[in-house]
Amino acid sequence: MTDLFTRHGPMLRAALAALQSREFWTPFSEIPSGKVYGETAKAEAEAAFAALQGRAFDLPGHPESRRLGQEQSPYGFPLGIDYPAAAPAALVAASQAAAPALAAAAPERRVGICLEILVRLNRMSFLMGHATMHTTGQAFAMAFQAGGPHAQDRGLEAVAMAWSEMTRFADAARWEKPQGKAAPLVLEKHWTLVPAGIALSIGCNTFPTWNSYPGIFASLATGNPVIVKPHPAAILPLALTVRVAREVLAEAGLPADAVLLAVDAPGAEVTQALAVDPAVKLIDYTGSNAFADWLRDHARQAHLFTEEAGVNSVVIAACDDFDGMCSNLAFSLALYSGQMCTAPQNLYVPAGGIETDQGHKSFDAVAQGVADAIDVLLSDPARAAGVCGAIANPATLQRLDAARGLGRMIRDSAPVGAGRSASPLLLALEAGDPASEAECFGPVAFFVATKDAEEGIARASTLAAQKGAITGAIYDTDAARILRAVQAFAGAGVNLSVNLTGNIFVNQSAAFSDFHVTGGNPAGNASLTDTAFVAPRFRRVMWRRQLRA
Amino acid sequence: MTDLFTRHGPMLRAALAALQSREFWTPFSEIPSGKVYGETAKAEAEAAFAALQGRAFDLPGHPESRRLGQEQSPYGFPLGIDYPAAAPAALVAASQAAAPALAAAAPERRVGICLEILVRLNRMSFLMGHATMHTTGQAFAMAFQAGGPHAQDRGLEAVAMAWSEMTRFADAARWEKPQGKAAPLVLEKHWTLVPAGIALSIGCNTFPTWNSYPGIFASLATGNPVIVKPHPAAILPLALTVRVAREVLAEAGLPADAVLLAVDAPGAEVTQALAVDPAVKLIDYTGSNAFADWLRDHARQAHLFTEEAGVNSVVIAACDDFDGMCSNLAFSLALYSGQMCTAPQNLYVPAGGIETDQGHKSFDAVAQGVADAIDVLLSDPARAAGVCGAIANPATLQRLDAARGLGRMIRDSAPVGAGRSASPLLLALEAGDPASEAECFGPVAFFVATKDAEEGIARASTLAAQKGAITGAIYDTDAARILRAVQAFAGAGVNLSVNLTGNIFVNQSAAFSDFHVTGGNPAGNASLTDTAFVAPRFRRVMWRRQLRA
């Protein structure tokens, strides 16, 4: 097991090269194919998923005072899995007990372990697809990708950044200061990397692995034991992850408790108690601004990394491929029924319409073009189910129902395919309507009428700076105006996609190339994965002694 | 002026290499010699310093609604300089007006400007020595070094780290994702570095330039306009710095107001108003834990980098050069009368004494050995004045007077040389005495009697973890115990010096090699200068567009 670092060295080096160049790269195929994952992988995963249901989840040696778990598939059945649960103090104590051995392990050893965990998780991507599908509501193909290889990519990216940062400076030096004609002063110096403390990873319902892996792996690689706190509705993907991590840690001779699972039940949440524990020094959080505010106010002892909510916008100023634009936006709005943190909500269109390759299009014609493209996209029930998936949280459907009265109806929402589902609701609003200036999470989008395209750019970027945004998009044919949009969105800390018409969407954020969230607006203070995401997770402490010259 | 980056390129590259290797390097000579700085430099600086006194300080174009300044030299005369002052809102407005041009300047341009500022500051190191001496009380030789070249080193270090971080990832990429037999998806991506916002640098009385340059230059290099808020008793060194920065900025075609001076008067401080301004996004602070706590509680909109107070300890377990140890500690205790954040306060000695090259030494003999070495060091009045300098703040003398009753007197304090001065007061205490567990800033040190050396290691490291510490030292001949001390101090986030006996002292922290403060205990959350010190000062924001493959 000591050669894990050597074994996975080529993958690490390729990841480091990709991080620098930001070019396309991944070691984890996103294609759910037997040719890649083995011809029996699909069937074995189905059997494994069936075998997990209605059973106690096995997590050998994990602290346990009782069993908890009430996950319900958005496709209409209970998972019936219960997980070991323990009081926050017991989890913290177990984590603290594991900390010294993890801190003392060389960076090579910890990084080797992290890489091995990721490779094993990759092999079980089909099972992770089922686990993700039936906790988040994502359709299988998306659940496979986002819960499996794309999440693994984000984990690997964090490990590579952690390695880069841990090895950025020499770990020892001979410091020789000239003293004129006298003998030089000579010091021998050594630096130890000292982890920050216990890391708490707070997962979300919609992307339990994709959003949690960066923090989990950045903390573990830099020597911090991790307590993984899943959303009560999406435990299984992270429980599987924790199990693999514990297996690899134990095989490598480190304490399995360096990675723990903190399961709780609605009404008896443990997140707050864990977050304010003095031993918890790092918190990675994905979720609402309101709970992030609570963490900021109360978990003052910890360094907090957040991805929160925001309002993503598209400015439609002009286009030279109207059909391509409408199809592209239709997919972005329908994909996972708008439950992505990167999904657009506001589409700013000049009230007087826009110029296109099909001539002038009125405001209503633009909105209708997108609505029609959604109808085409979802016309086949199987494809509709595959695109929209199901709604993770029943509250999203209630929000959708309440939204119907907010504006002029362009396209109504309706159930699609299997499970608790809903296609996009499209409404038209006037610029400045309060409904357009708050997040309405789920399959709801607003066509917002502006005086002109410049007002759309100004409103979208101002709203992003005030309320947060993770993505922005513009369709335009005026190079000077595009440049102004680039500057306005950059100033608001929003990544901007320009004139996407093909099989690439504003929602998509690729590891090793796209920094996800910039940290520059209220949608989050952390960016996946930049230096600031890993550097504060450990400190360099020196000892030095004098040598005779 | 566009070739500043090219002109200073060799210096930047050498700084980057030193940062990585942590070996000795500096471009700024610490020797106050005419051979280095020009034969007329000394006399010119004396004339320049005289010409500054009793006059209005000229800062062309700087916001000004009135004039303020009441600096008093600790050597017994008023400087009589008044500086332009403006209301916090006016300073913030001027800073905001300067921000867009600074943000739009290429990293090469900003870094070139920062390097030119540092080179010009270096040329005026003699003047900076006088300005530092007569605001901090440091003797001239120390004021020249700490206020001049050593501070410039720390500034250059921050600029180099900022450059390294700004160029860490590609600024553009062609991202080409294979699509099986179909044409690949191709995106063109560009990243813009977006500064965080206005940076506020809050200086201290004792090391106005050394402690402020890292934050000022890290912020400026990464595109953030800086408001420099000096301590009311130590304005001149930073006012000179601001003047040079504004000159270079203006010559380079950028707004001089990208660097502003915020002078206030006792009783009418502007620090709090500046710190909580919504536009202020970065704060660098050196000073008390109490005001750092205030900033943490109130300046929630800003990223806060602190160096605060702590209790530095020496563990004396054994030694093979008793005279060398005593002389070394004597200098560390007497240097600038203990007013360094790196000066030792507690010296833990086993109650039963220690083994040395001169045989067994009792607790009292060890304490007396250090006391005698101080007497020898300070026996010549000129040398005493050169080592101790003067006391920056009258409150320090009051604290010293109050401390006399805290323990058994080993050596009393007395005035030395010129100005408001005091030699070290040495007291003996029992382990656990509350006096030894709080900072007593100034020339006060405690010999603390412990059961054995292990208790000294435990108490010193535990105290550091609880109250903070920037330096630690141990004298020992037992390799296994030294290793245990290395681990204990590392765990407490304290840099440890082992067996220093020659002309290098625990107080000293060299740029490009020693990370000053680790960020791992309450003595500060920032480390000079690691990645975490520069990375959060800007964000990367992308724009991308689709290309036809």
PDB file of all heavy atoms in Angstrom, chain B residues 154-173:
ATOM      1  N   ARG B 154      10.381  42.135   2.772  1.00  0.00           N
ATOM      2  CA  ARG B 154       9.048  41.567   3.021  1.00  0.00           C
ATOM      3  C   ARG B 154       8.041  42.065   1.977  1.00  0.00           C
ATOM      4  O   ARG B 154       7.119  41.343   1.600  1.00  0.00           O
ATOM      5  CB  ARG B 154       8.573  41.910   4.435  1.00  0.00           C
ATOM      6  CG  ARG B 154       9.229  41.088   5.541  1.00  0.00           C
ATOM      7  CD  ARG B 154       8.734  39.645   5.551  1.00  0.00           C
ATOM      8  NE  ARG B 154       9.390  38.817   6.557  1.00  0.00           N
ATOM      9  CZ  ARG B 154       9.329  37.485   6.580  1.00  0.00           C
ATOM     10  NH1 ARG B 154       8.638  36.808   5.676  1.00  0.00           N
ATOM     11  NH2 ARG B 154       9.952  36.801   7.508  1.00  0.00           N
ATOM     12  N   GLY B 155       8.231  43.294   1.526  1.00  0.00           N
ATOM     13  CA  GLY B 155       7.365  43.794   0.459  1.00  0.00           C
ATOM     14  C   GLY B 155       7.607  43.061  -0.848  1.00  0.00           C
ATOM     15  O   GLY B 155       6.662  42.633  -1.537  1.00  0.00           O
ATOM     16  N   LEU B 156       8.882  42.887  -1.162  1.00  0.00           N
ATOM     17  CA  LEU B 156       9.234  42.177  -2.395  1.00  0.00           C
ATOM     18  C   LEU B 156       8.745  40.735  -2.361  1.00  0.00           C
ATOM     19  O   LEU B 156       8.241  40.200  -3.365  1.00  0.00           O
ATOM     20  CB  LEU B 156      10.757  42.230  -2.589  1.00  0.00           C
ATOM     21  CG  LEU B 156      11.335  41.448  -3.756  1.00  0.00           C
ATOM     22  CD1 LEU B 156      10.694  41.842  -5.081  1.00  0.00           C
ATOM     23  CD2 LEU B 156      12.861  41.651  -3.828  1.00  0.00           C
ATOM     24  N   GLU B 157       8.868  40.119  -1.205  1.00  0.00           N
ATOM     25  CA  GLU B 157       8.381  38.749  -1.038  1.00  0.00           C
ATOM     26  C   GLU B 157       6.888  38.667  -1.376  1.00  0.00           C
ATOM     27  O   GLU B 157       6.440  37.753  -2.089  1.00  0.00           O
ATOM     28  CB  GLU B 157       8.623  38.338   0.413  1.00  0.00           C
ATOM     29  CG  GLU B 157       8.214  36.935   0.775  1.00  0.00           C
ATOM     30  CD  GLU B 157       8.442  36.677   2.263  1.00  0.00           C
ATOM     31  OE1 GLU B 157       7.807  37.349   3.106  1.00  0.00           O
ATOM     32  OE2 GLU B 157       9.243  35.808   2.589  1.00  0.00           O
ATOM     33  N   ALA B 158       6.136  39.639  -0.893  1.00  0.00           N
ATOM     34  CA  ALA B 158       4.692  39.645  -1.164  1.00  0.00           C
ATOM     35  C   ALA B 158       4.407  39.874  -2.644  1.00  0.00           C
ATOM     36  O   ALA B 158       3.494  39.261  -3.216  1.00  0.00           O
ATOM     37  CB  ALA B 158       4.004  40.709  -0.308  1.00  0.00           C
ATOM     38  N   VAL B 159       5.179  40.754  -3.273  1.00  0.00           N
ATOM     39  CA  VAL B 159       4.985  40.999  -4.709  1.00  0.00           C
ATOM     40  C   VAL B 159       5.299  39.720  -5.492  1.00  0.00           C
ATOM     41  O   VAL B 159       4.560  39.343  -6.417  1.00  0.00           O
ATOM     42  CB  VAL B 159       5.883  42.156  -5.196  1.00  0.00           C
ATOM     43  CG1 VAL B 159       5.804  42.295  -6.721  1.00  0.00           C
ATOM     44  CG2 VAL B 159       5.476  43.467  -4.521  1.00  0.00           C
ATOM     45  N   ALA B 160       6.372  39.040  -5.118  1.00  0.00           N
ATOM     46  CA  ALA B 160       6.735  37.809  -5.822  1.00  0.00           C
ATOM     47  C   ALA B 160       5.663  36.736  -5.643  1.00  0.00           C
ATOM     48  O   ALA B 160       5.286  36.051  -6.597  1.00  0.00           O
ATOM     49  CB  ALA B 160       8.094  37.304  -5.328  1.00  0.00           C
ATOM     50  N   MET B 161       5.141  36.603  -4.421  1.00  0.00           N
ATOM     51  CA  MET B 161       4.073  35.617  -4.201  1.00  0.00           C
ATOM     52  C   MET B 161       2.836  35.991  -5.002  1.00  0.00           C
ATOM     53  O   MET B 161       2.147  35.126  -5.549  1.00  0.00           O
ATOM     54  CB  MET B 161       3.719  35.534  -2.716  1.00  0.00           C
ATOM     55  CG  MET B 161       4.561  34.572  -1.910  1.00  0.00           C
ATOM     56  SD  MET B 161       4.551  32.876  -2.547  1.00  0.00           S
ATOM     57  CE  MET B 161       2.810  32.479  -2.393  1.00  0.00           C
ATOM     58  N   ALA B 162       2.534  37.280  -5.063  1.00  0.00           N
ATOM     59  CA  ALA B 162       1.369  37.720  -5.833  1.00  0.00           C
ATOM     60  C   ALA B 162       1.556  37.400  -7.310  1.00  0.00           C
ATOM     61  O   ALA B 162       0.643  36.905  -7.985  1.00  0.00           O
ATOM     62  CB  ALA B 162       1.141  39.224  -5.631  1.00  0.00           C
ATOM     63  N   TRP B 163       2.746  37.652  -7.819  1.00  0.00           N
ATOM     64  CA  TRP B 163       3.022  37.340  -9.223  1.00  0.00           C
ATOM     65  C   TRP B 163       2.906  35.839  -9.473  1.00  0.00           C
ATOM     66  O   TRP B 163       2.285  35.391 -10.446  1.00  0.00           O
ATOM     67  CB  TRP B 163       4.429  37.832  -9.606  1.00  0.00           C
ATOM     68  CG  TRP B 163       4.830  37.411 -10.983  1.00  0.00           C
ATOM     69  CD1 TRP B 163       5.732  36.438 -11.318  1.00  0.00           C
ATOM     70  CD2 TRP B 163       4.304  37.908 -12.228  1.00  0.00           C
ATOM     71  NE1 TRP B 163       5.809  36.311 -12.683  1.00  0.00           N
ATOM     72  CE2 TRP B 163       4.949  37.194 -13.264  1.00  0.00           C
ATOM     73  CE3 TRP B 163       3.355  38.876 -12.546  1.00  0.00           C
ATOM     74  CZ2 TRP B 163       4.667  37.436 -14.614  1.00  0.00           C
ATOM     75  CZ3 TRP B 163       3.077  39.103 -13.889  1.00  0.00           C
ATOM     76  CH2 TRP B 163       3.726  38.395 -14.903  1.00  0.00           C
ATOM     77  N   SER B 164       3.488  35.066  -8.579  1.00  0.00           N
ATOM     78  CA  SER B 164       3.426  33.606  -8.708  1.00  0.00           C
ATOM     79  C   SER B 164       1.973  33.136  -8.752  1.00  0.00           C
ATOM     80  O   SER B 164       1.593  32.306  -9.585  1.00  0.00           O
ATOM     81  CB  SER B 164       4.166  32.975  -7.523  1.00  0.00           C
ATOM     82  OG  SER B 164       3.984  31.589  -7.496  1.00  0.00           O
ATOM     83  N   GLU B 165       1.164  33.694  -7.878  1.00  0.00           N
ATOM     84  CA  GLU B 165      -0.221  33.245  -7.796  1.00  0.00           C
ATOM     85  C   GLU B 165      -1.040  33.746  -8.991  1.00  0.00           C
ATOM     86  O   GLU B 165      -1.880  33.017  -9.530  1.00  0.00           O
ATOM     87  CB  GLU B 165      -0.834  33.719  -6.478  1.00  0.00           C
ATOM     88  CG  GLU B 165      -2.130  33.050  -6.126  1.00  0.00           C
ATOM     89  CD  GLU B 165      -2.059  31.534  -6.131  1.00  0.00           C
ATOM     90  OE1 GLU B 165      -1.007  30.952  -5.787  1.00  0.00           O
ATOM     91  OE2 GLU B 165      -3.064  30.924  -6.529  1.00  0.00           O
ATOM     92  N   MET B 166      -0.776  34.977  -9.421  1.00  0.00           N
ATOM     93  CA  MET B 166      -1.549  35.512 -10.559  1.00  0.00           C
ATOM     94  C   MET B 166      -1.253  34.748 -11.844  1.00  0.00           C
ATOM     95  O   MET B 166      -2.089  34.684 -12.743  1.00  0.00           O
ATOM     96  CB  MET B 166      -1.262  37.005 -10.743  1.00  0.00           C
ATOM     97  CG  MET B 166      -1.874  37.872  -9.659  1.00  0.00           C
ATOM     98  SD  MET B 166      -1.822  39.653 -10.052  1.00  0.00           S
ATOM     99  CE  MET B 166      -0.092  40.021  -9.822  1.00  0.00           C
ATOM    100  N   THR B 167      -0.056  34.179 -11.945  1.00  0.00           N
ATOM    101  CA  THR B 167       0.333  33.487 -13.175  1.00  0.00           C
ATOM    102  C   THR B 167       0.324  31.974 -13.003  1.00  0.00           C
ATOM    103  O   THR B 167       0.874  31.254 -13.819  1.00  0.00           O
ATOM    104  CB  THR B 167       1.743  33.932 -13.599  1.00  0.00           C
ATOM    105  OG1 THR B 167       2.656  33.681 -12.513  1.00  0.00           O
ATOM    106  CG2 THR B 167       1.777  35.405 -13.936  1.00  0.00           C
ATOM    107  N   ARG B 168      -0.296  31.503 -11.939  1.00  0.00           N
ATOM    108  CA  ARG B 168      -0.243  30.068 -11.629  1.00  0.00           C
ATOM    109  C   ARG B 168      -0.977  29.224 -12.666  1.00  0.00           C
ATOM    110  O   ARG B 168      -0.611  28.081 -12.918  1.00  0.00           O
ATOM    111  CB  ARG B 168      -0.852  29.842 -10.253  1.00  0.00           C
ATOM    112  CG  ARG B 168      -0.709  28.421  -9.775  1.00  0.00           C
ATOM    113  CD  ARG B 168      -1.006  28.321  -8.299  1.00  0.00           C
ATOM    114  NE  ARG B 168      -0.646  27.032  -7.770  1.00  0.00           N
ATOM    115  CZ  ARG B 168      -0.510  26.770  -6.487  1.00  0.00           C
ATOM    116  NH1 ARG B 168      -0.698  27.737  -5.615  1.00  0.00           N
ATOM    117  NH2 ARG B 168      -0.192  25.580  -6.068  1.00  0.00           N
ATOM    118  N   PHE B 169      -2.063  29.765 -13.200  1.00  0.00           N
ATOM    119  CA  PHE B 169      -2.856  29.024 -14.176  1.00  0.00           C
ATOM    120  C   PHE B 169      -2.855  29.789 -15.502  1.00  0.00           C
ATOM    121  O   PHE B 169      -2.670  31.008 -15.517  1.00  0.00           O
ATOM    122  CB  PHE B 169      -4.297  28.855 -13.679  1.00  0.00           C
ATOM    123  CG  PHE B 169      -4.397  28.270 -12.305  1.00  0.00           C
ATOM    124  CD1 PHE B 169      -4.838  29.027 -11.232  1.00  0.00           C
ATOM    125  CD2 PHE B 169      -4.024  26.952 -12.069  1.00  0.00           C
ATOM    126  CE1 PHE B 169      -4.928  28.492  -9.953  1.00  0.00           C
ATOM    127  CE2 PHE B 169      -4.114  26.400 -10.793  1.00  0.00           C
ATOM    128  CZ  PHE B 169      -4.565  27.177  -9.734  1.00  0.00           C
ATOM    129  N   ALA B 170      -3.092  29.070 -16.563  1.00  0.00           N
ATOM    130  CA  ALA B 170      -3.180  29.711 -17.870  1.00  0.00           C
ATOM    131  C   ALA B 170      -4.255  30.795 -17.834  1.00  0.00           C
ATOM    132  O   ALA B 170      -5.261  30.649 -17.142  1.00  0.00           O
ATOM    133  CB  ALA B 170      -3.513  28.663 -18.932  1.00  0.00           C
ATOM    134  N   ASP B 171      -4.041  31.859 -18.582  1.00  0.00           N
ATOM    135  CA  ASP B 171      -5.066  32.911 -18.621  1.00  0.00           C
ATOM    136  C   ASP B 171      -6.004  32.753 -19.814  1.00  0.00           C
ATOM    137  O   ASP B 171      -6.955  33.514 -19.963  1.00  0.00           O
ATOM    138  CB  ASP B 171      -4.446  34.311 -18.581  1.00  0.00           C
ATOM    139  CG  ASP B 171      -3.552  34.577 -19.774  1.00  0.00           C
ATOM    140  OD1 ASP B 171      -3.417  33.677 -20.634  1.00  0.00           O
ATOM    141  OD2 ASP B 171      -2.987  35.672 -19.856  1.00  0.00           O
ATOM    142  N   ALA B 172      -5.724  31.751 -20.631  1.00  0.00           N
ATOM    143  CA  ALA B 172      -6.622  31.432 -21.744  1.00  0.00           C
ATOM    144  C   ALA B 172      -6.400  29.970 -22.104  1.00  0.00           C
ATOM    145  O   ALA B 172      -5.332  29.420 -21.856  1.00  0.00           O
ATOM    146  CB  ALA B 172      -6.344  32.323 -22.949  1.00  0.00           C
ATOM    147  N   ALA B 173      -7.414  29.350 -22.666  1.00  0.00           N
ATOM    148  CA  ALA B 173      -7.271  27.943 -23.053  1.00  0.00           C
ATOM    149  C   ALA B 173      -8.216  27.623 -24.204  1.00  0.00           C
ATOM    150  O   ALA B 173      -9.270  28.249 -24.354  1.00  0.00           O
ATOM    151  CB  ALA B 173      -7.566  27.024 -21.863  1.00  0.00           C
TER     152      ALA B 173
END
